[in-house]
Amino acid sequence: GITYEITNSRDSKIRDKFTRADFALAVGGDGTFLMASHYVSDETPIIGVNSAPLTSFGHFCICDSGSFAVLIDKIEQGHVRAIKLMRLQVSIDGWVVPELALNEFLIAHREPAASSRYSIKVNTRSEKHVCSGLLVATPAGSTGFLRSEGGTVLAIDEENYVFFRARTVFAPWRKAPTQNWLTGSRRTY
């Protein structure tokens, strides 16, 4: 009894399709779920369905094909609570990155071996960095890339923190930059 439309990341009208949807099903793994999260509005819930539970971890997937029908019944009965997750919008030198990030952004030089040089300002605090890039993560992204870089893991639905972490800092002439910045703001950075 559900009217649906199938799309994929190569569809040029993907953003319009997600905007019109009452909810989205991301059938795949975490990559598929993260891709879908770029396009949905803040009011559109996403259900992650792990299509390969034997080979895919499915951190953002709440069910697989065997438990999907049971999940839909529980949603209809009001037994499943939606969790709101923070997403990041990033602008670089005035250019707004069109996709919102549910997990993290890595801002780095286009050549992986090159050093990144930038200044960062959050509220009244600012620093200059020379490093391999700046990692900016949401709480939902704190268990992946950020964690492997030494960051702190937060509850997935935490609403108050965004982490900034300079990667592989080069600072022989002065004190190294702060490695973790916590901020209680939900503003766009």
mmCIF file of all heavy atoms in Angstrom, residues 143-169:
data_model
loop_
_atom_site.group_PDB
_atom_site.id
_atom_site.type_symbol
_atom_site.label_atom_id
_atom_site.label_comp_id
_atom_site.label_asym_id
_atom_site.label_seq_id
_atom_site.Cartn_x
_atom_site.Cartn_y
_atom_site.Cartn_z
ATOM 1 N N THR A 143 32.254 8.131 15.327
ATOM 2 C CA THR A 143 32.711 6.752 15.507
ATOM 3 C C THR A 143 33.583 6.254 14.363
ATOM 4 O O THR A 143 34.156 5.175 14.450
ATOM 5 C CB THR A 143 31.512 5.784 15.641
ATOM 6 O OG1 THR A 143 30.741 5.858 14.441
ATOM 7 C CG2 THR A 143 30.677 6.119 16.844
ATOM 8 N N GLY A 144 33.699 7.027 13.291
ATOM 9 C CA GLY A 144 34.452 6.573 12.129
ATOM 10 C C GLY A 144 35.800 7.249 11.990
ATOM 11 O O GLY A 144 36.728 7.021 12.768
ATOM 12 N N PHE A 145 35.898 8.096 10.970
ATOM 13 C CA PHE A 145 37.149 8.766 10.624
ATOM 14 C C PHE A 145 37.697 9.551 11.815
ATOM 15 O O PHE A 145 38.876 9.467 12.143
ATOM 16 C CB PHE A 145 36.876 9.686 9.427
ATOM 17 C CG PHE A 145 38.080 10.195 8.692
ATOM 18 C CD1 PHE A 145 39.369 9.830 9.038
ATOM 19 C CD2 PHE A 145 37.908 11.048 7.625
ATOM 20 C CE1 PHE A 145 40.460 10.307 8.337
ATOM 21 C CE2 PHE A 145 38.998 11.538 6.915
ATOM 22 C CZ PHE A 145 40.278 11.162 7.271
ATOM 23 N N LEU A 146 36.845 10.313 12.485
ATOM 24 C CA LEU A 146 37.291 11.122 13.620
ATOM 25 C C LEU A 146 37.875 10.240 14.727
ATOM 26 O O LEU A 146 38.911 10.552 15.298
ATOM 27 C CB LEU A 146 36.152 11.972 14.170
ATOM 28 C CG LEU A 146 36.561 12.909 15.296
ATOM 29 C CD1 LEU A 146 37.338 14.099 14.755
ATOM 30 C CD2 LEU A 146 35.359 13.378 16.071
ATOM 31 N N ARG A 147 37.220 9.145 15.014
ATOM 32 C CA ARG A 147 37.705 8.228 16.058
ATOM 33 C C ARG A 147 39.080 7.675 15.687
ATOM 34 O O ARG A 147 39.971 7.570 16.527
ATOM 35 C CB ARG A 147 36.716 7.089 16.241
ATOM 36 C CG ARG A 147 37.114 6.106 17.308
ATOM 37 C CD ARG A 147 36.106 4.998 17.346
ATOM 38 N NE ARG A 147 36.236 4.175 18.517
ATOM 39 C CZ ARG A 147 35.440 3.161 18.777
ATOM 40 N NH1 ARG A 147 34.459 2.865 17.969
ATOM 41 N NH2 ARG A 147 35.619 2.451 19.848
ATOM 42 N N SER A 148 39.270 7.330 14.411
ATOM 43 C CA SER A 148 40.567 6.794 13.983
ATOM 44 C C SER A 148 41.664 7.850 14.061
ATOM 45 O O SER A 148 42.840 7.518 14.133
ATOM 46 C CB SER A 148 40.472 6.236 12.558
ATOM 47 O OG SER A 148 40.349 7.267 11.613
ATOM 48 N N GLU A 149 41.275 9.132 14.099
ATOM 49 C CA GLU A 149 42.231 10.237 14.233
ATOM 50 C C GLU A 149 42.421 10.654 15.692
ATOM 51 O O GLU A 149 43.053 11.663 15.972
ATOM 52 C CB GLU A 149 41.759 11.436 13.414
ATOM 53 C CG GLU A 149 41.845 11.233 11.922
ATOM 54 C CD GLU A 149 43.271 11.212 11.414
ATOM 55 O OE1 GLU A 149 44.118 11.937 11.955
ATOM 56 O OE2 GLU A 149 43.542 10.453 10.476
ATOM 57 N N GLY A 150 41.830 9.905 16.622
ATOM 58 C CA GLY A 150 42.008 10.196 18.043
ATOM 59 C C GLY A 150 40.920 11.056 18.650
ATOM 60 O O GLY A 150 41.044 11.516 19.785
ATOM 61 N N GLY A 151 39.823 11.278 17.931
ATOM 62 C CA GLY A 151 38.728 12.092 18.446
ATOM 63 C C GLY A 151 37.866 11.337 19.441
ATOM 64 O O GLY A 151 37.986 10.119 19.608
ATOM 65 N N THR A 152 36.978 12.058 20.095
ATOM 66 C CA THR A 152 36.089 11.507 21.112
ATOM 67 C C THR A 152 34.799 11.006 20.476
ATOM 68 O O THR A 152 34.226 11.668 19.617
ATOM 69 C CB THR A 152 35.737 12.601 22.144
ATOM 70 O OG1 THR A 152 36.957 13.090 22.698
ATOM 71 C CG2 THR A 152 34.852 12.070 23.245
ATOM 72 N N VAL A 153 34.329 9.839 20.900
ATOM 73 C CA VAL A 153 33.065 9.285 20.413
ATOM 74 C C VAL A 153 31.924 9.858 21.244
ATOM 75 O O VAL A 153 31.984 9.868 22.471
ATOM 76 C CB VAL A 153 33.068 7.741 20.496
ATOM 77 C CG1 VAL A 153 31.709 7.173 20.123
ATOM 78 C CG2 VAL A 153 34.159 7.166 19.599
ATOM 79 N N LEU A 154 30.904 10.355 20.550
ATOM 80 C CA LEU A 154 29.718 10.905 21.212
ATOM 81 C C LEU A 154 28.493 10.053 20.914
ATOM 82 O O LEU A 154 28.502 9.259 19.975
ATOM 83 C CB LEU A 154 29.441 12.321 20.687
ATOM 84 C CG LEU A 154 30.436 13.407 21.077
ATOM 85 C CD1 LEU A 154 30.076 14.706 20.371
ATOM 86 C CD2 LEU A 154 30.445 13.616 22.572
ATOM 87 N N ALA A 155 27.443 10.255 21.679
ATOM 88 C CA ALA A 155 26.162 9.615 21.387
ATOM 89 C C ALA A 155 25.697 10.089 20.013
ATOM 90 O O ALA A 155 25.832 11.274 19.679
ATOM 91 C CB ALA A 155 25.137 9.980 22.450
ATOM 92 N N ILE A 156 25.149 9.183 19.226
ATOM 93 C CA ILE A 156 24.790 9.482 17.844
ATOM 94 C C ILE A 156 23.787 10.625 17.726
ATOM 95 O O ILE A 156 23.799 11.380 16.758
ATOM 96 C CB ILE A 156 24.261 8.212 17.142
ATOM 97 C CG1 ILE A 156 24.198 8.420 15.627
ATOM 98 C CG2 ILE A 156 22.909 7.799 17.713
ATOM 99 C CD1 ILE A 156 23.931 7.154 14.857
ATOM 100 N N ASP A 157 22.932 10.796 18.729
ATOM 101 C CA ASP A 157 21.901 11.831 18.650
ATOM 102 C C ASP A 157 22.251 13.091 19.458
ATOM 103 O O ASP A 157 21.396 13.947 19.688
ATOM 104 C CB ASP A 157 20.551 11.280 19.088
ATOM 105 C CG ASP A 157 20.568 10.722 20.501
ATOM 106 O OD1 ASP A 157 21.670 10.546 21.077
ATOM 107 O OD2 ASP A 157 19.478 10.444 21.033
ATOM 108 N N GLU A 158 23.494 13.229 19.872
ATOM 109 C CA GLU A 158 23.946 14.443 20.576
ATOM 110 C C GLU A 158 23.648 15.657 19.700
ATOM 111 O O GLU A 158 23.834 15.626 18.494
ATOM 112 C CB GLU A 158 25.446 14.337 20.868
ATOM 113 C CG GLU A 158 26.047 15.573 21.484
ATOM 114 C CD GLU A 158 25.517 15.862 22.882
ATOM 115 O OE1 GLU A 158 25.533 14.959 23.721
ATOM 116 O OE2 GLU A 158 25.092 17.003 23.105
ATOM 117 N N GLU A 159 23.166 16.724 20.290
ATOM 118 C CA GLU A 159 22.760 17.904 19.525
ATOM 119 C C GLU A 159 23.694 19.098 19.669
ATOM 120 O O GLU A 159 23.533 20.088 18.980
ATOM 121 C CB GLU A 159 21.356 18.350 19.948
ATOM 122 C CG GLU A 159 20.284 17.343 19.635
ATOM 123 C CD GLU A 159 18.908 17.841 20.056
ATOM 124 O OE1 GLU A 159 18.795 18.961 20.574
ATOM 125 O OE2 GLU A 159 17.950 17.079 19.858
ATOM 126 N N ASN A 160 24.651 19.054 20.552
ATOM 127 C CA ASN A 160 25.358 20.274 20.898
ATOM 128 C C ASN A 160 26.807 20.379 20.453
ATOM 129 O O ASN A 160 27.429 21.384 20.719
ATOM 130 C CB ASN A 160 25.313 20.474 22.418
ATOM 131 C CG ASN A 160 23.896 20.673 22.892
ATOM 132 O OD1 ASN A 160 23.137 21.400 22.270
ATOM 133 N ND2 ASN A 160 23.527 20.016 23.963
ATOM 134 N N TYR A 161 27.385 19.350 19.822
ATOM 135 C CA TYR A 161 28.814 19.414 19.553
ATOM 136 C C TYR A 161 29.172 19.091 18.110
ATOM 137 O O TYR A 161 28.595 18.211 17.503
ATOM 138 C CB TYR A 161 29.577 18.444 20.470
ATOM 139 C CG TYR A 161 29.485 18.850 21.906
ATOM 140 C CD1 TYR A 161 28.603 18.227 22.763
ATOM 141 C CD2 TYR A 161 30.263 19.892 22.396
ATOM 142 C CE1 TYR A 161 28.498 18.610 24.090
ATOM 143 C CE2 TYR A 161 30.172 20.282 23.714
ATOM 144 C CZ TYR A 161 29.291 19.641 24.554
ATOM 145 O OH TYR A 161 29.196 20.037 25.849
ATOM 146 N N VAL A 162 30.146 19.818 17.632
ATOM 147 C CA VAL A 162 30.799 19.545 16.361
ATOM 148 C C VAL A 162 32.288 19.496 16.667
ATOM 149 O O VAL A 162 32.794 20.332 17.406
ATOM 150 C CB VAL A 162 30.514 20.659 15.331
ATOM 151 C CG1 VAL A 162 31.302 20.428 14.064
ATOM 152 C CG2 VAL A 162 29.023 20.744 15.027
ATOM 153 N N PHE A 163 33.004 18.514 16.142
ATOM 154 C CA PHE A 163 34.437 18.371 16.384
ATOM 155 C C PHE A 163 35.235 18.889 15.199
ATOM 156 O O PHE A 163 34.889 18.642 14.052
ATOM 157 C CB PHE A 163 34.805 16.901 16.580
ATOM 158 C CG PHE A 163 34.473 16.369 17.922
ATOM 159 C CD1 PHE A 163 33.261 15.759 18.160
ATOM 160 C CD2 PHE A 163 35.379 16.470 18.962
ATOM 161 C CE1 PHE A 163 32.954 15.250 19.394
ATOM 162 C CE2 PHE A 163 35.080 15.963 20.212
ATOM 163 C CZ PHE A 163 33.870 15.358 20.425
ATOM 164 N N PHE A 164 36.325 19.586 15.510
ATOM 165 C CA PHE A 164 37.304 20.009 14.515
ATOM 166 C C PHE A 164 38.614 19.340 14.910
ATOM 167 O O PHE A 164 38.988 19.368 16.065
ATOM 168 C CB PHE A 164 37.506 21.524 14.548
ATOM 169 C CG PHE A 164 36.270 22.302 14.226
ATOM 170 C CD1 PHE A 164 35.324 22.549 15.196
ATOM 171 C CD2 PHE A 164 36.066 22.787 12.961
ATOM 172 C CE1 PHE A 164 34.182 23.261 14.919
ATOM 173 C CE2 PHE A 164 34.922 23.520 12.669
ATOM 174 C CZ PHE A 164 33.983 23.747 13.646
ATOM 175 N N ARG A 165 39.290 18.761 13.957
ATOM 176 C CA ARG A 165 40.573 18.130 14.268
ATOM 177 C C ARG A 165 41.529 18.353 13.105
ATOM 178 O O ARG A 165 41.260 17.944 11.988
ATOM 179 C CB ARG A 165 40.392 16.646 14.517
ATOM 180 C CG ARG A 165 41.680 15.976 14.947
ATOM 181 C CD ARG A 165 41.379 14.678 15.684
ATOM 182 N NE ARG A 165 42.580 14.008 16.089
ATOM 183 C CZ ARG A 165 43.227 14.249 17.213
ATOM 184 N NH1 ARG A 165 42.787 15.137 18.045
ATOM 185 N NH2 ARG A 165 44.317 13.582 17.509
ATOM 186 N N ALA A 166 42.633 19.015 13.396
ATOM 187 C CA ALA A 166 43.691 19.183 12.405
ATOM 188 C C ALA A 166 44.450 17.862 12.332
ATOM 189 O O ALA A 166 44.818 17.295 13.354
ATOM 190 C CB ALA A 166 44.620 20.313 12.802
ATOM 191 N N ARG A 167 44.678 17.367 11.116
ATOM 192 C CA ARG A 167 45.324 16.067 10.923
ATOM 193 C C ARG A 167 46.808 16.243 10.626
ATOM 194 O O ARG A 167 47.185 17.052 9.806
ATOM 195 C CB ARG A 167 44.676 15.336 9.748
ATOM 196 C CG ARG A 167 43.195 15.084 9.940
ATOM 197 C CD ARG A 167 42.596 14.347 8.752
ATOM 198 N NE ARG A 167 43.188 13.029 8.645
ATOM 199 C CZ ARG A 167 43.853 12.606 7.570
ATOM 200 N NH1 ARG A 167 44.026 13.379 6.529
ATOM 201 N NH2 ARG A 167 44.345 11.388 7.537
ATOM 202 N N THR A 168 47.640 15.453 11.275
ATOM 203 C CA THR A 168 49.083 15.413 11.044
ATOM 204 C C THR A 168 49.659 16.824 10.968
ATOM 205 O O THR A 168 50.104 17.291 9.924
ATOM 206 C CB THR A 168 49.413 14.614 9.758
ATOM 207 O OG1 THR A 168 48.590 13.454 9.702
ATOM 208 C CG2 THR A 168 50.862 14.202 9.745
ATOM 209 N N VAL A 169 49.625 17.504 12.076
ATOM 210 C CA VAL A 169 50.013 18.915 12.161
ATOM 211 C C VAL A 169 51.515 19.091 11.977
ATOM 212 O O VAL A 169 52.314 18.370 12.556
ATOM 213 C CB VAL A 169 49.575 19.495 13.527
ATOM 214 C CG1 VAL A 169 50.047 20.925 13.680
ATOM 215 C CG2 VAL A 169 48.070 19.386 13.665
#
